[in-house]
Amino acid sequence: YIEHAPKWCSVDLRDGNQALIIPMSLEEKLEMWEKLVEIGFKEIEIGFPAASETEFEFARTLIERNMIPEDVTIQVLTQAREHIIRKTFAALEGCKTPVVVHVYNSTSVAQREQVFKRDREQIKQIAVEGAKLLKQLTDEAGNDNYRFEYSPESFTGTEPEYALEVCNAVLDIWQPTPDRKAIINLPATVEMSSPHVYACQVEYMHKNLKYREGVEISLHPHNDRGTGVADAELGVLAGADRVEGTLFGNGERTGNM
């Protein structure tokens, strides 16, 4: 049974590396931000600060103009690559409100073999090095407001036991606690199966992740097969705590849930 609502994170503002044909301008992003805050979202991904000047300036504008309410957590997205992570932290400098830094790398069979041409251990190492750098830069910034999120991008195309191995390796770096939880996000980056299969994958992670009391399992379903909402509903039934989605399926290929 779903006994209470999951946490909701809006990713409507994400343009980043999978942008709309004509990405939002700074003014449009600010207008959308104000609408999302007005609607009542308490977790809002503001985008991919290292992806473009507009994305970077948007983060800086929100921080410098004090436009982030105290009870709203912003989230920023970064690939697990050093120069992109460092640029992301530069965009957050001086932020006094809670932040989720969301780092990801692709783990699927297809992308390991055909895109990166690296084996399991090499791909896991990309995730581990990214996790270490997030922790290092947070310690250097001395900012207790930063929390971490990791996505095995293309989770649905990844062997479940390997996705678990990578996520647990990241969690071993972060050592999350119930007082300072990490987020493990399980995206249906490509909807490759019917929703009950995705739910089984989520349940496997829910039952086997380390530090489970200190972890929020998050879902980020796409809508390739038109069952993104069903993915989210069954994923929450299977043990997830949080859902990332958009109001109108805006952005990212075939659309977000």
Side-chain angles (χ1 to χ4, degrees), residues 17 48 77-80 102-106 149-153:
N17 63 342
F48 199 142
L77 189 66
T78 175
Q79 293 171 331
H102 179 185
V103 65
Y104 71 91
N105 69 301
S106 190
E149 174 173 351
Y150 173 71
S151 287
E153 189 196 7

Side-chain angles (χ1 to χ4, degrees), residues 132-183:
K132 286 179 179 176
L133 187 55
L134 255 63
K135 189 170 187 299
Q136 175 193 323
L137 293 177
T138 296
D139 291 343
E140 289 174 5
N143 195 329
D144 292 335
N145 287 325
Y146 291 177
R147 290 173 58 214
F148 305 137
E149 174 173 351
Y150 173 71
S151 287
E153 189 196 7
S154 60
F155 168 71
T156 45
T158 304
E159 309 92 329
E161 73 281 359
Y162 177 60
L164 180 69
E165 179 185 335
V166 174
C167 289
N168 278 336
V170 167
L171 291 173
D172 280 339
I173 303 298
W174 290 342
Q175 302 276 316
T177 65
D179 293 330
R180 191 177 183 183
K181 292 186 177 183
I183 299 168

Side-chain angles (χ1 to χ4, degrees), residues 155 160 163-164 167 186 201-209:
F155 168 71
L164 180 69
C167 289
L186 305 175
Q201 293 168 323
V202 171
E203 183 179 33
Y204 173 77
M205 299 294 281
H206 163 60
K207 288 183 174 178
N208 292 286
L209 273 175

Side-chain angles (χ1 to χ4, degrees), residues 12 17 56 59 103 121 131 156 181 187 207 211 229 246 257:
D12 297 85
N17 63 342
F56 188 89
V103 65
E121 193 58 37
T156 45
K181 292 186 177 183
K207 288 183 174 178
Y211 312 96
V229 172
T246 63
M257 192 278 292

Side-chain angles (χ1 to χ4, degrees), residues 43-62:
E43 297 189 19
I44 302 172
E45 186 178 82
I46 63 172
F48 199 142
S52 72
E53 195 56 35
T54 300
E55 299 267 288
F56 188 89
E57 284 304 313
F58 178 50
R60 294 309 308 151
T61 300
L62 292 178

